Amino acid sequence: MSDPILVLAHIDETSQINIGAREALGFAQNLSENTGRPVECGLIGADNSSATAEVTELGATKVYTIEDSLLARFSGDNMVSAAAHIVSSSGARIVLIGRHPSTLEFIPRLSRRIDGTCVMNVTRIETINEQYTEIEAAVYGGAARALYQIDSTSPVVVGLRPAAAEAPTPHPENSSDIVELNLELLADRVRVITEATADEGPRLENAEIVVSGGRGLQNAENFALVRELANLLKGMPGASRAIVDEYWAPPTEQIGLTGTTVAPALYVAAGISGASQHMAGCSNARLIVAINSDPDAPIFKYADVGIIDDCLAVLPELIELLR
Amino acid sequence: MHILVAAKQVLDPDGINSYALWGRLEVSEDGLGFNTGATVPQIINAYDEQAMEAALQIAEVQEGTRVTAVTVGSDTAPDVLKRCYAMGAENTIHVHDDEKQSGNPFRISQILATVAKNLGDVDLILCGRQGSDYDQGAVPAILSEDLGMPFITMASQINFDEQTQSLHVDVVTPNGPETLACNLPAVVAVSNEIGQPRYPSSRRMIQSRRNPPTVFRADELLPGPATEKMSIKLLTVPEVQGNCEIIEGVDPKEKAKHLLQILRERGDLNV
């Protein structure tokens, strides 16, 4: 019964673990307290030394690391091979992976490679016994939950829903066994022709304040109001899927199930109705402020503070007051 | 080029969403569906329709391209094939499978892999990035493993580059757009950024009746007894607790003022 809970993370050129990996370590710790399984971590990247220290402080008792310069950028073929090697070395049957842009590729491919199973958007793990594991996932855009029953005899790769758990408190006194693994890597079958240059600036998923706009903005020009308010509040702008599909805002600013998930201290939703697909990306905000002219808009069910009025009338007033 | 498009039938997510928004979404007695009756129609998964659109865009440029659409599902599933045919698919394939199995992406992938192998000449498999029912998005990547093909997801534009005889795929990433390339055969999953799918032609809609899909049973295509390593046991609907403080004010200016006051008192503003 003491097979470990394994958290897997890709270490990019920042050499740090991302928010998803921290959440996965928190999820693993909760699971470890309930089941007595140790928490282990597998790191795959070009330089894992500082990340190794970080995950040790966050509760990993054993750290598997695979380092190669070819792994600095997420490469599906090599990531899957490396991760499969770590899973088989650890003997883990529960593998946790937190939010990361690559999960749509990484998790299902890995699960197939290790002849296991996978579940995405996982909210909690309900039961683990020798026969089966019961795992709950958010489905139907967050409107429902599905309880998956999984055969326990092979490993299950669990893709955690963003903010499924909080990052654990770091303990600098922790220590861990470090296992360096080697693997022969190959050039990925997918070649990069033009690479997106990672913006050095602040990232939406880490923003403390987010101001988001939806269809209530009426047209593309009015998204400038959202940008300006976000700017004045020293936050970042976000958008609903509906207006991204209309090209009022770029896909990088989309918040929701198929966009970015945010958990800011303050989330201002202007002219957003509150579809579950959108709320999946922001419901973990500490305070949600809704501005909507429809008093029956579902967003008011999720909001802590609401203004029932046209966002096109309220946003300019807020901007005026903050200038 | 022969393109295979995998499409799935789902309950209209907008319909499910409306029920959820008004707090009226209820799980049916068997625990695996909803009591929405005929008010929420079964439609083609929107991302899969976009995969179909991507295939037709390639066919417009690439002479001699054939598009085949396949679906795995029960009795109503062929409706999505009619739509694919009306959009421009030449051939359609229906793999009849028990609805209860639809939550097992490994089974669906195995079925699709067998279909692709049996066709023998498939160069490119296009799928939607995820189904709007279970939101797992697992089938396309598993399929690429089952078939040993390269995989690209979040595609917003797909071109075949004559010079290098390879596929060039624009993808959406959190850092902005990128262009990736791979050799064929490959599996590519399409996102909504591909653009609005074309409307099916009414002429082909009528013709689709005379061109029914080729039908297989899932157990004919699965190698030996199917692996049943996972299934959905139960759906539930989470409660949303409404507890919103509505800000009063005679006009937008006063409401805005009150809001900032509340946020400042809470310490949520640093400006």
Side-chain angles (χ1 to χ4, degrees), chain A residues 73 109 111-113 115 118 120-121 140-141 143-145 147-149 151 189-191 193-194 196 203 241 245 252 258 274-277 287 296 298 300-301 303-306 308-309 317, chain B residues 17 21-22 34 47 103 106 129 133-136 145-146 148-150 166 174-175 178-181 192 229-236 238 241-242 244-247 253 255 263 266 271:
Chain A
R73 182 192 152 95
R109 280 187 67 186
S111 68
R112 182 67 190 86
R113 190 70 65 86
D115 206 15
C118 68
M120 311 285 276
N121 300 318
Y140 285 95
R145 301 281 180 272
L147 190 65
Y148 281 89
Q149 197 176 83
D151 175 16
R189 288 172 297 172
V190 175
R191 307 180 292 278
I193 305 291
T194 55
R203 300 189 67 86
R241 156 108 188 249
D245 282 350
T252 46
T258 55
S276 52
Q277 283 86 348
L287 188 84
D296 294 326
F300 291 115
K301 276 197 192 167
D304 304 285
V305 179
I308 299 171
D309 214 323
E317 297 295 346
Chain B
N17 206 23
L21 289 181
W22 306 115
F34 301 107
Y47 290 120
F106 297 90
R129 58 176 276 189
D133 47 3
Y134 305 136
D135 289 322
Q136 294 290 296
E145 283 286 312
D146 277 337
M149 292 180 187
S166 62
N175 294 328
E178 293 195 335
T179 305
L180 305 175
N192 51 299
K229 287 199 289 194
M230 67 184 289
S231 62
I232 294 177
K233 285 287 154 214
L234 185 68
L235 294 177
T236 51
Q241 300 285 350
C244 183
E245 175 192 350
I246 300 294
I247 294 180
K253 189 183 213 65
K255 290 174 189 171
L263 296 180
R266 283 180 46 99
V271 290

XYZ file of all heavy atoms in Angstrom, chain A residues 73 109 111-113 115 118 120-121 140-141 143-145 147-149 151 189-191 193-194 196 203 241 245 252 258 274-277 287 296 298 300-301 303-306 308-309 317, chain B residues 17 21-22 34 47 103 106 129 133-136 145-146 148-150 166 174-175 178-181 192 229-236 238 241-242 244-247 253 255 263 266 271:
731
model
N 12.516 23.473 -23.785
C 11.206 23.737 -24.345
C 10.409 22.448 -24.250
O 10.945 21.365 -24.421
C 11.336 24.154 -25.816
C 10.012 24.504 -26.465
C 10.104 24.623 -27.981
N 8.811 24.304 -28.564
C 7.897 25.214 -28.891
N 8.141 26.494 -28.728
N 6.726 24.839 -29.383
N -1.070 11.258 -23.690
C -0.005 10.476 -24.334
C 0.760 9.659 -23.302
O 1.056 8.484 -23.516
C 0.973 11.389 -25.083
C 0.469 11.839 -26.449
C 1.542 12.594 -27.225
N 2.669 11.734 -27.598
C 3.781 12.159 -28.178
N 3.919 13.456 -28.447
N 4.740 11.322 -28.485
N -0.283 8.624 -20.388
C -1.109 7.544 -19.834
C -1.155 6.362 -20.786
O -1.108 5.205 -20.362
C -2.517 8.060 -19.526
O -3.196 8.377 -20.723
N -1.205 6.626 -22.072
C -1.221 5.538 -23.053
C 0.135 4.831 -23.092
O 0.206 3.614 -23.175
C -1.566 6.091 -24.441
C -1.659 5.042 -25.525
C -2.854 4.120 -25.280
N -2.849 2.956 -26.157
C -2.202 1.820 -25.889
N -1.487 1.698 -24.782
N -2.265 0.810 -26.726
N 1.209 5.624 -23.013
C 2.556 5.059 -23.104
C 2.842 4.095 -21.948
O 3.524 3.085 -22.126
C 3.590 6.200 -23.080
C 5.010 5.780 -23.395
C 5.213 5.384 -24.854
N 5.029 6.496 -25.777
C 5.984 7.358 -26.111
N 7.197 7.260 -25.599
N 5.727 8.329 -26.970
N 0.603 2.404 -20.435
C -0.499 1.451 -20.415
C -1.406 1.669 -19.208
O -1.856 0.722 -18.572
C 0.040 0.011 -20.439
C -0.974 -0.944 -21.042
O -1.922 -0.461 -21.684
O -0.817 -2.162 -20.849
N -6.159 7.956 -17.767
C -6.022 9.357 -17.361
C -7.393 9.978 -17.150
O -8.381 9.545 -17.740
C -5.228 10.159 -18.394
S -6.061 10.386 -19.977
N -8.869 14.118 -16.763
C -8.495 15.533 -16.799
C -9.491 16.359 -15.984
O -10.606 15.911 -15.720
C -8.512 16.036 -18.243
C -7.761 15.165 -19.233
S -5.997 15.320 -19.089
C -5.738 16.774 -20.106
N -9.101 17.584 -15.654
C -9.975 18.515 -14.907
C -10.440 17.928 -13.586
O -11.593 18.081 -13.182
C -11.192 18.926 -15.735
C -10.809 19.607 -17.018
O -9.897 20.433 -17.028
N -11.471 19.259 -18.111
N -18.933 19.059 -18.627
C -19.941 19.982 -19.164
C -19.589 21.431 -18.817
O -20.401 22.178 -18.271
C -21.341 19.600 -18.681
C -21.892 18.381 -19.385
C -21.756 17.118 -18.829
C -22.498 18.493 -20.633
C -22.220 15.987 -19.487
C -22.971 17.377 -21.300
C -22.832 16.136 -20.729
O -23.297 15.023 -21.387
N -18.394 21.817 -19.111
C -17.966 23.191 -18.904
C -17.994 23.628 -17.447
O -18.023 24.816 -17.165
N -20.437 22.719 -15.403
C -21.825 22.664 -14.937
C -22.122 21.376 -14.172
O -23.082 21.312 -13.418
C -22.784 22.792 -16.126
N -21.298 20.345 -14.372
C -21.533 19.063 -13.698
C -20.203 18.438 -13.297
O -19.132 18.919 -13.674
C -22.309 18.113 -14.614
N -20.308 17.380 -12.494
C -19.141 16.594 -12.110
C -19.382 15.154 -12.532
O -20.515 14.675 -12.463
C -18.946 16.613 -10.585
C -18.762 18.005 -9.992
C -17.349 18.515 -10.203
N -17.177 19.842 -9.628
C -17.424 20.979 -10.281
N -17.856 20.934 -11.534
N -17.240 22.137 -9.704
N -18.076 11.170 -11.815
C -17.275 10.291 -10.981
C -16.774 9.149 -11.862
O -17.554 8.345 -12.361
C -18.108 9.744 -9.818
C -17.305 8.996 -8.758
C -16.345 9.941 -8.038
C -18.234 8.321 -7.759
N -15.458 9.133 -12.092
C -14.840 8.086 -12.902
C -14.402 6.946 -12.001
O -13.821 7.186 -10.934
C -13.609 8.633 -13.629
C -13.927 9.439 -14.871
C -14.145 10.806 -14.791
C -13.999 8.826 -16.121
C -14.436 11.558 -15.927
C -14.282 9.563 -17.265
C -14.500 10.923 -17.160
O -14.778 11.645 -18.286
N -14.691 5.706 -12.425
C -14.150 4.558 -11.713
C -13.038 3.945 -12.566
O -13.250 3.628 -13.737
C -15.230 3.528 -11.434
C -14.787 2.553 -10.364
C -15.888 1.567 -10.002
O -16.065 0.565 -10.676
N -16.631 1.871 -8.953
N -9.658 1.302 -12.954
C -8.978 0.084 -12.532
C -7.668 0.441 -11.828
O -6.820 1.135 -12.394
C -8.727 -0.751 -13.799
C -7.909 -1.987 -13.508
O -7.812 -2.352 -12.326
O -7.380 -2.568 -14.472
N 9.518 14.775 -33.320
C 8.946 14.660 -34.666
C 8.219 15.948 -35.069
O 7.978 16.202 -36.241
C 7.973 13.483 -34.715
C 8.659 12.125 -34.682
C 7.640 11.013 -34.527
N 6.928 11.120 -33.265
C 5.886 10.369 -32.935
N 5.426 9.462 -33.762
N 5.306 10.517 -31.758
N 7.847 16.742 -34.054
C 7.225 18.036 -34.343
C 8.306 19.110 -34.268
O 8.975 19.262 -33.249
C 6.087 18.341 -33.348
C 5.532 19.736 -33.574
C 4.974 17.297 -33.488
N 8.497 19.822 -35.383
C 9.542 20.847 -35.452
C 8.935 22.231 -35.217
O 7.786 22.472 -35.568
C 10.208 20.821 -36.831
C 10.726 19.442 -37.234
C 11.392 19.441 -38.608
N 10.472 19.669 -39.718
C 9.724 18.715 -40.270
N 9.751 17.479 -39.802
N 8.925 18.989 -41.275
N 8.785 25.967 -36.236
C 9.120 26.852 -37.357
C 9.256 28.283 -36.843
O 10.267 28.937 -37.045
C 8.045 26.783 -38.466
C 7.835 25.331 -38.918
C 8.423 27.684 -39.649
C 8.975 24.703 -39.660
N 8.208 28.786 -36.184
C 8.345 30.076 -35.508
C 7.854 29.918 -34.080
O 6.811 29.326 -33.819
C 7.523 31.189 -36.180
O 6.165 30.761 -36.253
C 8.029 31.526 -37.562
N 6.747 31.316 -30.307
C 6.181 32.468 -29.612
C 7.215 32.936 -28.598
O 7.825 32.129 -27.907
C 4.890 32.080 -28.910
N 2.186 37.818 -15.972
C 1.358 36.801 -16.600
C -0.042 36.816 -15.991
O -0.216 36.946 -14.795
C 1.988 35.425 -16.440
C 3.374 35.324 -17.081
C 3.852 33.894 -17.076
N 3.034 33.071 -17.954
C 3.257 32.943 -19.256
N 4.263 33.576 -19.818
N 2.486 32.178 -19.993
N -14.926 34.042 -23.547
C -14.737 33.338 -24.817
C -15.562 33.995 -25.925
O -15.114 34.116 -27.069
C -15.130 31.870 -24.618
C -15.537 31.134 -25.866
C -14.509 30.132 -26.308
N -14.870 29.595 -27.591
C -15.273 28.357 -27.805
N -15.350 27.512 -26.807
N -15.573 27.947 -29.022
N -14.000 35.102 -29.489
C -14.462 34.556 -30.775
C -14.863 35.668 -31.740
O -14.845 35.484 -32.955
C -15.646 33.603 -30.560
C -15.189 32.233 -30.066
O -13.963 31.985 -30.079
O -16.040 31.421 -29.675
N -5.015 35.101 -25.965
C -4.160 35.060 -24.776
C -4.839 35.705 -23.572
O -4.416 35.514 -22.447
C -2.833 35.802 -25.035
O -3.147 37.048 -25.660
C -1.918 35.014 -25.939
N -11.514 26.941 -21.514
C -10.578 26.741 -22.619
C -9.589 27.901 -22.748
O -8.902 28.032 -23.738
C -11.327 26.539 -23.948
O -12.203 27.638 -24.151
C -12.127 25.261 -23.930
N -21.884 34.996 -16.927
C -21.524 34.044 -15.879
C -21.748 32.595 -16.261
O -22.102 31.770 -15.417
N -21.538 32.270 -17.539
C -21.637 30.878 -17.980
C -20.615 30.036 -17.211
O -19.546 30.522 -16.869
C -21.347 30.780 -19.482
N -20.979 28.763 -16.961
C -20.091 27.928 -16.142
C -18.710 27.794 -16.784
O -17.707 27.706 -16.091
C -20.710 26.558 -15.890
O -21.104 25.963 -17.100
N -18.661 27.805 -18.138
C -17.366 27.718 -18.827
C -16.466 28.898 -18.458
O -15.259 28.761 -18.363
C -17.544 27.715 -20.356
C -18.012 26.400 -20.923
C -19.517 26.247 -20.907
O -20.231 27.025 -20.269
N -20.007 25.224 -21.592
N -12.358 37.755 -4.336
C -13.534 38.622 -4.374
C -13.950 38.818 -5.829
O -13.148 39.231 -6.656
C -13.234 39.986 -3.737
C -14.470 40.883 -3.563
C -15.198 40.530 -2.270
C -14.094 42.353 -3.559
N -30.979 39.266 -13.209
C -31.084 37.806 -13.166
C -29.858 37.114 -13.757
O -29.826 35.890 -13.848
C -32.326 37.339 -13.940
C -33.601 37.792 -13.261
O -33.591 37.847 -12.007
O -34.576 38.107 -13.956
N -26.672 35.111 -14.171
C -26.102 34.120 -13.241
C -24.815 34.589 -12.566
O -24.475 34.105 -11.493
C -25.820 32.914 -14.136
C -26.664 33.108 -15.335
C -26.852 34.571 -15.522
N -24.323 36.986 -10.833
C -24.597 37.469 -9.471
C -24.685 36.328 -8.455
O -24.617 36.553 -7.253
C -25.876 38.313 -9.448
C -25.715 39.635 -10.168
C -26.430 39.911 -11.305
C -24.811 40.587 -9.697
C -26.270 41.120 -11.979
C -24.637 41.793 -10.365
C -25.369 42.064 -11.510
N -24.824 35.091 -8.956
C -24.798 33.933 -8.043
C -23.380 33.666 -7.554
O -23.166 33.091 -6.497
C -25.294 32.679 -8.769
C -26.787 32.534 -8.787
C -27.096 31.094 -9.133
C -28.551 30.934 -9.464
N -28.789 29.635 -10.088
N -20.930 36.142 -7.665
C -20.261 37.370 -7.243
C -20.450 37.610 -5.747
O -21.425 37.179 -5.142
C -20.809 38.537 -8.041
N -19.475 38.322 -5.160
C -19.585 38.752 -3.771
C -20.184 40.153 -3.708
O -20.892 40.495 -2.769
C -18.194 38.771 -3.126
C -17.505 37.427 -3.247
O -17.900 36.513 -2.514
O -16.615 37.288 -4.108
N -19.857 40.962 -4.696
C -20.348 42.331 -4.756
C -20.877 42.558 -6.172
O -20.238 42.149 -7.148
C -19.215 43.342 -4.454
C -19.731 44.775 -4.532
C -18.599 43.071 -3.089
N -22.056 43.208 -6.285
C -22.627 43.400 -7.607
C -23.136 44.810 -7.829
O -23.597 45.472 -6.907
N -25.902 46.436 -10.376
C -26.870 46.169 -11.435
C -26.998 47.434 -12.260
O -27.703 48.376 -11.878
C -28.224 45.728 -10.842
C -28.031 44.441 -10.037
C -29.248 45.506 -11.953
C -29.221 44.021 -9.222
N -26.270 47.467 -13.345
C -26.294 48.634 -14.234
C -25.509 48.286 -15.493
O -24.770 47.301 -15.514
C -25.659 49.857 -13.546
C -26.353 51.156 -13.977
O -26.740 51.251 -15.165
O -26.500 52.046 -13.131
N -17.197 55.688 -15.257
C -17.222 56.361 -13.954
C -16.081 55.860 -13.064
O -15.415 56.643 -12.388
C -18.563 56.123 -13.238
C -19.778 56.694 -13.959
C -19.758 58.226 -14.041
O -18.950 58.868 -13.327
O -20.563 58.772 -14.822
N -25.936 24.533 -20.411
C -25.515 25.718 -19.681
C -26.711 26.530 -19.190
O -26.736 26.992 -18.051
C -24.630 26.551 -20.600
C -23.666 27.394 -19.820
O -23.359 27.078 -18.681
N -23.206 28.463 -20.412
N -27.428 27.482 -15.488
C -27.459 28.887 -15.065
C -28.696 29.188 -14.229
O -28.649 29.977 -13.296
C -27.440 29.811 -16.291
C -26.133 29.890 -17.064
C -26.250 30.853 -18.219
C -25.007 30.320 -16.150
N -29.800 28.573 -14.584
C -31.029 28.830 -13.830
C -31.237 27.823 -12.704
O -32.304 27.765 -12.111
C -32.245 28.875 -14.771
C -31.998 29.860 -15.869
C -31.879 29.588 -17.193
C -31.784 31.273 -15.725
N -31.587 30.741 -17.880
C -31.526 31.789 -17.007
C -31.768 32.151 -14.629
C -31.267 33.139 -17.237
C -31.500 33.498 -14.858
C -31.253 33.968 -16.152
N -28.965 13.834 -18.212
C -29.724 14.897 -17.564
C -31.202 14.818 -17.940
O -31.550 14.327 -19.015
C -29.182 16.267 -17.979
C -27.746 16.467 -17.632
C -26.769 16.460 -18.622
C -27.360 16.643 -16.315
C -25.431 16.624 -18.306
C -26.028 16.812 -15.985
C -25.057 16.809 -16.982
N -16.025 21.793 -31.616
C -14.614 21.688 -32.009
C -14.436 20.692 -33.159
O -13.546 20.846 -33.992
C -13.750 21.247 -30.830
C -13.597 22.282 -29.738
C -14.016 22.019 -28.439
C -13.008 23.513 -29.992
C -13.857 22.949 -27.419
C -12.842 24.450 -28.983
C -13.271 24.163 -27.699
O -13.110 25.089 -26.700
N -17.414 7.420 -22.022
C -16.510 8.068 -21.071
C -15.138 7.411 -21.006
O -14.337 7.771 -20.150
N -9.838 5.608 -24.047
C -8.924 4.588 -24.572
C -9.657 3.649 -25.519
O -9.113 3.214 -26.532
C -8.265 3.819 -23.405
C -7.433 4.726 -22.559
C -7.987 5.392 -21.472
C -6.112 4.979 -22.877
C -7.235 6.273 -20.714
C -5.355 5.859 -22.126
C -5.916 6.515 -21.046
N -10.392 19.677 -30.326
C -9.479 19.590 -29.180
C -10.083 18.869 -27.985
O -9.385 18.250 -27.201
C -9.001 20.974 -28.749
C -10.127 21.919 -28.388
C -9.609 23.239 -27.866
N -9.323 23.125 -26.449
C -9.026 24.171 -25.685
N -8.956 25.377 -26.207
N -8.796 24.022 -24.409
N -18.901 17.669 -23.836
C -19.616 16.943 -22.781
C -18.681 16.664 -21.593
O -18.839 17.235 -20.537
C -20.265 15.660 -23.323
C -19.326 14.828 -24.193
O -18.146 15.205 -24.348
O -19.776 13.788 -24.720
N -17.655 15.825 -21.831
C -16.801 15.473 -20.688
C -15.537 16.336 -20.608
O -14.773 16.220 -19.645
C -16.432 13.988 -20.732
C -17.646 13.092 -20.804
C -17.707 12.006 -21.664
C -18.764 13.345 -20.007
C -18.833 11.196 -21.738
C -19.892 12.550 -20.078
C -19.925 11.477 -20.951
O -21.033 10.691 -21.027
N -15.286 17.171 -21.612
C -14.166 18.119 -21.568
C -12.807 17.460 -21.324
O -11.892 18.119 -20.825
C -14.384 19.183 -20.474
C -15.490 20.156 -20.840
O -15.596 20.513 -22.027
O -16.249 20.559 -19.931
N -12.671 16.168 -21.623
C -11.415 15.500 -21.289
C -10.316 15.811 -22.316
O -9.154 15.963 -21.959
C -11.633 13.986 -21.188
C -12.534 13.599 -20.018
C -11.846 13.821 -18.686
O -10.848 13.201 -18.375
N -12.378 14.733 -17.893
N -0.700 8.192 -30.045
C 0.138 7.132 -29.460
C -0.238 5.772 -30.029
O 0.625 4.966 -30.367
C -0.028 7.105 -27.935
C 0.709 8.207 -27.203
C 2.221 7.985 -27.156
O 2.653 6.873 -26.815
O 2.964 8.921 -27.483
N -1.547 5.508 -30.115
C -2.003 4.207 -30.634
C -1.486 3.983 -32.052
O -1.189 2.860 -32.437
C -3.538 4.144 -30.634
C -4.106 3.745 -29.272
O -3.366 3.104 -28.492
O -5.267 4.068 -28.985
N 1.164 5.678 -33.392
C 2.575 6.028 -33.520
C 2.811 7.233 -34.417
O 3.835 7.337 -35.088
N 1.856 8.153 -34.431
C 1.972 9.340 -35.296
C 2.321 10.570 -34.461
O 1.977 10.651 -33.295
C 0.636 9.604 -36.001
C 0.245 8.554 -37.015
S -1.354 9.006 -37.764
C -1.689 7.535 -38.733
N 2.992 11.565 -35.085
C 3.204 12.831 -34.375
C 1.879 13.521 -34.077
O 0.888 13.291 -34.777
C 4.055 13.663 -35.337
C 3.986 12.990 -36.657
C 3.573 11.565 -36.424
N 5.500 18.562 -45.922
C 5.152 18.390 -44.506
C 3.996 19.310 -44.140
O 3.623 20.208 -44.895
C 6.366 18.684 -43.623
O 6.777 20.019 -43.797
N -0.217 30.147 -24.731
C -0.406 31.287 -23.817
C 0.539 32.434 -24.143
O 0.288 33.572 -23.762
C -0.094 30.695 -22.446
C -0.210 29.231 -22.606
C 0.136 28.920 -24.023
N 1.644 32.145 -24.833
C 2.591 33.203 -25.194
C 2.293 33.835 -26.545
O 3.011 34.719 -26.984
C 4.015 32.647 -25.212
C 4.467 32.228 -23.841
O 4.058 32.823 -22.845
N 5.282 31.198 -23.781
N 2.238 30.258 -32.595
C 3.465 29.589 -33.040
C 3.157 28.817 -34.302
O 2.005 28.479 -34.551
C 3.951 28.574 -31.998
C 4.426 29.180 -30.712
C 5.227 28.192 -29.866
O 5.020 26.976 -30.022
O 6.055 28.655 -29.074
N 4.193 28.513 -35.077
C 4.021 27.610 -36.214
C 4.874 26.373 -35.987
O 6.069 26.476 -35.694
C 4.427 28.293 -37.533
O 3.682 29.503 -37.664
C 4.115 27.399 -38.716
N 4.230 25.207 -36.089
C 4.917 23.929 -35.918
C 4.833 23.159 -37.228
O 3.978 23.447 -38.068
C 4.268 23.115 -34.796
C 4.144 23.805 -33.435
C 3.361 22.930 -32.461
C 5.520 24.128 -32.859
N 5.716 22.183 -37.399
C 5.680 21.359 -38.613
C 5.919 19.912 -38.251
O 6.619 19.602 -37.290
C 6.735 21.834 -39.601
N -10.986 26.421 -31.442
C -12.010 27.292 -32.043
C -11.414 28.423 -32.873
O -12.096 29.009 -33.698
C -12.937 27.865 -30.973
C -12.197 28.502 -29.826
O -11.438 27.828 -29.134
N -12.379 29.780 -29.619
N -10.899 -0.323 -18.620
C -10.150 0.134 -17.447
C -10.752 1.368 -16.789
O -10.371 1.721 -15.693
C -8.695 0.405 -17.835
C -7.926 -0.889 -18.066
C -6.436 -0.687 -17.984
C -5.904 0.088 -19.158
N -4.437 -0.003 -19.245
N -11.681 2.033 -17.483
C -12.299 3.195 -16.841
C -13.698 3.437 -17.383
O -14.015 3.099 -18.524
C -11.434 4.451 -17.019
C -11.317 4.959 -18.449
S -10.186 6.380 -18.581
C -11.129 7.673 -17.771
N -14.547 4.006 -16.525
C -15.902 4.359 -16.960
C -16.443 5.434 -16.032
O -15.928 5.637 -14.930
C -16.811 3.137 -16.924
O -16.903 2.662 -15.602
N -17.476 6.118 -16.507
C -18.151 7.105 -15.652
C -19.248 6.386 -14.886
O -20.066 5.681 -15.470
C -18.721 8.252 -16.499
C -17.584 9.054 -17.140
C -19.596 9.173 -15.640
C -18.035 10.168 -18.057
N -19.241 6.524 -13.563
C -20.236 5.865 -12.716
C -21.424 6.767 -12.442
O -22.550 6.306 -12.294
C -19.602 5.462 -11.365
C -18.696 4.269 -11.440
C -19.490 2.973 -11.638
C -18.598 1.960 -12.338
N -19.285 1.073 -13.234
N -21.169 8.069 -12.320
C -22.227 8.955 -11.845
C -21.934 10.410 -12.203
O -20.808 10.866 -12.055
C -22.310 8.828 -10.311
C -23.432 9.593 -9.608
C -24.782 8.998 -9.965
C -23.224 9.550 -8.092
N -22.971 11.104 -12.660
C -22.864 12.556 -12.837
C -23.551 13.240 -11.657
O -24.540 12.739 -11.127
C -23.549 12.993 -14.136
C -22.946 12.528 -15.458
C -23.813 12.998 -16.625
C -21.524 13.035 -15.630
N -23.023 14.373 -11.242
C -23.684 15.179 -10.211
C -23.639 16.639 -10.655
O -22.861 17.001 -11.539
C -22.976 15.060 -8.836
O -21.582 15.321 -9.020
C -23.175 13.693 -8.231
N -23.004 20.400 -9.152
C -22.598 21.134 -7.948
C -23.543 22.301 -7.653
O -24.088 22.909 -8.573
C -21.193 21.645 -8.298
C -21.135 21.654 -9.782
C -22.105 20.637 -10.288
N -23.864 28.615 -4.445
C -24.497 29.398 -3.386
C -24.419 30.879 -3.731
O -23.348 31.433 -3.783
C -23.781 29.155 -2.048
C -23.795 27.709 -1.574
C -25.145 27.295 -1.025
O -26.023 28.139 -0.829
N -25.331 25.996 -0.804
N -25.570 31.475 -3.982
C -25.580 32.903 -4.269
C -25.544 33.713 -2.983
O -26.297 33.449 -2.054
N -24.647 37.614 -2.907
C -24.049 38.803 -3.503
C -24.594 40.070 -2.855
O -25.804 40.240 -2.719
C -24.342 38.797 -5.001
S -23.599 40.169 -5.884
N -23.681 40.936 -2.457
C -24.083 42.235 -1.908
C -24.275 43.207 -3.075
O -23.325 43.502 -3.801
C -22.979 42.734 -0.967
C -23.233 44.127 -0.420
C -21.986 44.707 0.276
O -21.016 43.949 0.494
O -21.996 45.910 0.577
N -25.510 43.655 -3.266
C -25.789 44.567 -4.379
C -25.542 46.009 -3.934
O -26.042 46.450 -2.891
C -27.244 44.417 -4.879
C -27.492 42.987 -5.366
C -27.549 45.436 -5.984
C -26.696 42.572 -6.597
N -24.762 46.717 -4.714
C -24.413 48.101 -4.379
C -25.518 49.041 -4.846
O -25.921 49.020 -6.015
C -23.062 48.474 -5.025
C -21.975 47.628 -4.361
C -22.776 49.959 -4.895
C -20.609 47.886 -4.885
N -22.563 56.803 -11.423
C -21.468 57.490 -10.741
C -21.442 57.129 -9.262
O -20.400 56.797 -8.699
C -21.622 59.007 -10.918
C -20.419 59.789 -10.424
C -20.657 61.273 -10.564
C -19.394 62.042 -10.874
N -18.741 61.782 -12.131
N -22.850 54.533 -7.797
C -22.557 53.112 -7.620
C -21.050 52.858 -7.739
O -20.468 52.087 -6.965
C -23.312 52.280 -8.657
C -24.812 52.245 -8.420
C -25.522 51.523 -9.560
C -27.028 51.674 -9.441
N -27.727 51.177 -10.652
N -14.113 48.442 -1.827
C -12.854 47.760 -2.149
C -11.701 48.341 -1.335
O -10.821 47.620 -0.876
C -12.558 47.861 -3.649
C -13.560 47.160 -4.572
C -13.156 47.342 -6.036
C -13.671 45.680 -4.242
N -11.907 47.102 2.232
C -11.468 45.699 2.325
C -9.962 45.558 2.120
O -9.401 44.498 2.353
C -12.169 44.856 1.244
C -13.602 44.503 1.535
C -14.152 43.667 0.387
N -13.195 42.611 0.003
C -13.281 41.349 0.409
N -14.286 40.960 1.155
N -12.380 40.457 0.035
N -4.365 51.258 -5.152
C -4.259 52.551 -5.838
C -5.223 53.537 -5.209
O -6.171 53.144 -4.536
C -4.567 52.428 -7.344
C -3.446 51.679 -8.032
C -5.894 51.767 -7.586
